[in-house]
Amino acid sequence: MARGDAAQTKVHYKGKAEDFIVFVDSSEAVQEWKKDSSVPLAQVVSGFKILVTDNHGTQGILNTASKGTLENEFGTSNEDEVIKQILQKGDVQTTQNSERQGDTNDSKGSMLAH
């Protein structure tokens, strides 16, 4: 069975000094939340982590955003408030991870050295 073949959805927000990313469950969940903000964030966001890409757009190494970075960009370091702003103003992007094939048990059969 193939592994890693799953869709990954994120919201990208281009700030003044940094690019911010929040991973979400699906683009549909974000659209529902935008229509009805009484939906709990836990049903929309995959993890309550705000990531920065060091001005590399939606790609590159993702680092956790510091409180100072959040303060400078959003005027608050409250992560719930920042996530709400990113969901409202950001672009939803869905990518498909490539599947990975691999040997499952090298200790059986012809893979075993004699």
Side-chain angles (χ1 to χ4, degrees), residues 16-84:
K16 297 174 203 137
E18 291 284 349
D19 292 306
F20 296 88
I21 291 187
V22 173
F23 286 97
V24 294
D25 293 337
S26 68
S27 59
E28 293 83 15
V30 174
Q31 297 307 323
E32 286 293 319
W33 181 84
K34 284 183 177 181
K35 291 177 192 170
D36 179 15
S37 61
S38 68
V39 173
L41 280 178
Q43 293 180 1
V44 180
V45 179
S46 291
F48 283 85
K49 279 233 182 237
I50 302 163
L51 305 168
V52 292
T53 63
D54 297 324
N55 293 321
H56 291 294
T58 61
Q59 300 177 352
I61 297 172
L62 300 176
N63 296 311
T64 303
S66 69
K67 289 186 183 262
T69 303
L70 298 178
E71 273 292 333
N72 290 339
E73 183 67 39
F74 300 100
T76 181
S77 60
N78 181 330
E79 291 185 1
D80 288 348
E81 293 302 317
V82 171
I83 289 172
K84 288 177 185 177

Side-chain angles (χ1 to χ4, degrees), residues 65-110:
S66 69
K67 289 186 183 262
T69 303
L70 298 178
E71 273 292 333
N72 290 339
E73 183 67 39
F74 300 100
T76 181
S77 60
N78 181 330
E79 291 185 1
D80 288 348
E81 293 302 317
V82 171
I83 289 172
K84 288 177 185 177
Q85 289 185 44
I86 291 172
L87 293 178
Q88 289 171 344
K89 300 174 185 173
D91 300 321
V92 178
Q93 300 175 350
T94 302
T95 57
Q96 187 74 19
N97 291 341
S98 59
E99 63 181 51
R100 300 173 296 167
Q101 295 287 349
D103 297 326
T104 56
N105 192 346
D106 292 341
S107 67
K108 289 187 176 179
S110 63

